[in-house]
Amino acid sequence: MGVPSALTIAGSDSGGAAGLQADLRTFLTCGVHGLVAVTAVTVQNTLGVHDRSDVPPHIVAGQIEAVAADMGVNAAKTGMLASGAIIEAVAEACDRANIGRDREVPFVVDPVAASMHGHPLFDEAGLAALRDLLLPRATVLTPNLDEVRLLTGLEVTGREQMHEAAVTLHAMGPRYVLVKSGHLTHDPECVDVLYDGETFTELPGPRFATPHTHGAGDSMASALTAGLARGMTVPEAAKFGKWFVSNAVAHSYPMGAKVGPVSAFWRLAPEDR
């Protein structure tokens, strides 16, 4: 039997902490082959995003269709999509590649709308395209609390409001919504909420006393995607993603002047010398 594959449709992080680098690192350590459709190249480090160049939309679409036609995709996810034009191209290419909530290949939409430093990653037209074109195609939507606010206008300050946000987002079209609680810093636990339109499932985890969390959201979404590629159900894959990112944050490390990355090293076997 072949190795399952997962596709990330995302931007490149020159610092290696987030973006497609985090996705590929997670795919590898979760036992799936990583495929890539690059949407943008960023100039960034721990101090911020300094510049970027977006990939032409037809090239983004072409990458998706090329790997899907030849190598096969068992699950796919998005990250930074950069513009409304790229989002439109991604939606059309995913339809042609049979990727989406009502299609053969499950589709995880991680609605990356701003960098961890607060830099916006697309304009209002891009945000509208995300809502209108991708949310209805999502098998699972995985927003953090800042992205919840951008998509719904809701300011989440507690767990009860996370449930309300999940209901509001589910009405926009995704089959499942996973609201991530990493930014709810006053809560002593880190309890994410999965909602399928009827049932809420809470995914509890410890909140670690570390500032080094760059790439945590990407890593959770990509571990969830890897779980789907391996044949897990959405609830099973969400729990798998939570387990992975909890360990990744627990083993995070400092690098550069500010926020360091979460780690995938904990999944590697010790070297036998």
Side-chain angles (χ1 to χ4, degrees):
M1 294 179 65
V3 174
S5 64
L7 167 65
T8 176
I9 308 164
S12 170
D13 171 6
S14 56
L20 66 86
Q21 286 81 1
D23 293 339
L24 290 177
R25 188 163 56 240
T26 302
F27 289 164
L28 172 69
T29 54
C30 289
V32 302
H33 177 81
L35 305 168
V36 180
V38 184
T39 61
V41 176
T42 67
V43 178
Q44 69 173 289
N45 52 25
T46 65
L47 299 173
V49 178
H50 307 289
D51 203 353
R52 83 176 201 220
S53 178
D54 297 348
V55 174
H58 75 280
I59 297 295
V60 177
Q63 293 173 86
I64 295 168
E65 294 182 63
V67 296
D70 176 52
M71 304 170 78
V73 177
N74 297 111
K77 75 170 290 286
T78 66
M80 173 189 171
L81 295 177
S83 71
I86 288 176
I87 290 170
E88 183 175 353
V90 166
E92 293 173 355
C94 285
D95 286 351
R96 291 190 290 269
N98 209 21
I99 297 167
R101 60 157 288 171
D102 297 319
R103 298 175 181 272
E104 183 180 348
V105 180
F107 190 35
V108 177
V109 174
D110 194 21
V112 180
S115 74
M116 72 169 300
H117 309 285
H119 299 89
L121 297 177
F122 46 58
D123 57 16
E124 279 300 320
L127 195 59
L130 180 65
R131 287 194 197 99
D132 297 342
L133 297 177
L134 287 196
L135 268 60
R137 287 173 164 85
T139 307
V140 191
L141 177 70
T142 62
N144 63 31
L145 301 186
D146 288 338
E147 292 153 358
V148 166
R149 177 176 47 79
L150 287 169
L151 289 168
T152 68
L154 296 173
E155 195 77 44
V156 175
T157 58
R159 293 187 197 176
E160 186 174 335
Q161 290 171 307
M162 288 176 64
H163 287 67
E164 295 171 9
V167 171
T168 300
L169 288 165
H170 188 269
M172 297 180 181
R175 181 171 293 159
Y176 286 82
V177 176
L178 176 63
V179 180
K180 298 178 289 192
S181 63
H183 294 178
L184 205 63
T185 53
H186 65 274
D187 193 324
E189 281 190 288
C190 193
V191 181
D192 303 329
V193 174
L194 180 70
Y195 180 61
D196 64 0
E198 295 182 358
T199 303
F200 295 99
T201 302
E202 292 194 343
L203 305 175
R207 188 174 295 277
F208 297 100
T210 176
H212 304 303
T213 57
H214 198 182
D218 296 340
S219 297
M220 182 173 187
S222 51
L224 189 160
T225 305
L228 294 175
R230 289 169 49 178
M232 297 179 192
T233 65
V234 171
E236 289 169 343
K239 291 175 184 177
F240 178 73
K242 181 67 174 183
W243 168 76
F244 181 91
V245 76
S246 294
N247 281 282
V249 174
H251 291 83
S252 65
Y253 49 88
M255 180 166 281
K258 289 194 174 181
V259 180
V262 300
S263 177
F265 293 146
W266 67 275
R267 288 282 275 167
L268 300 179
E271 295 179 11
D272 182 3
R273 294 185 180 276

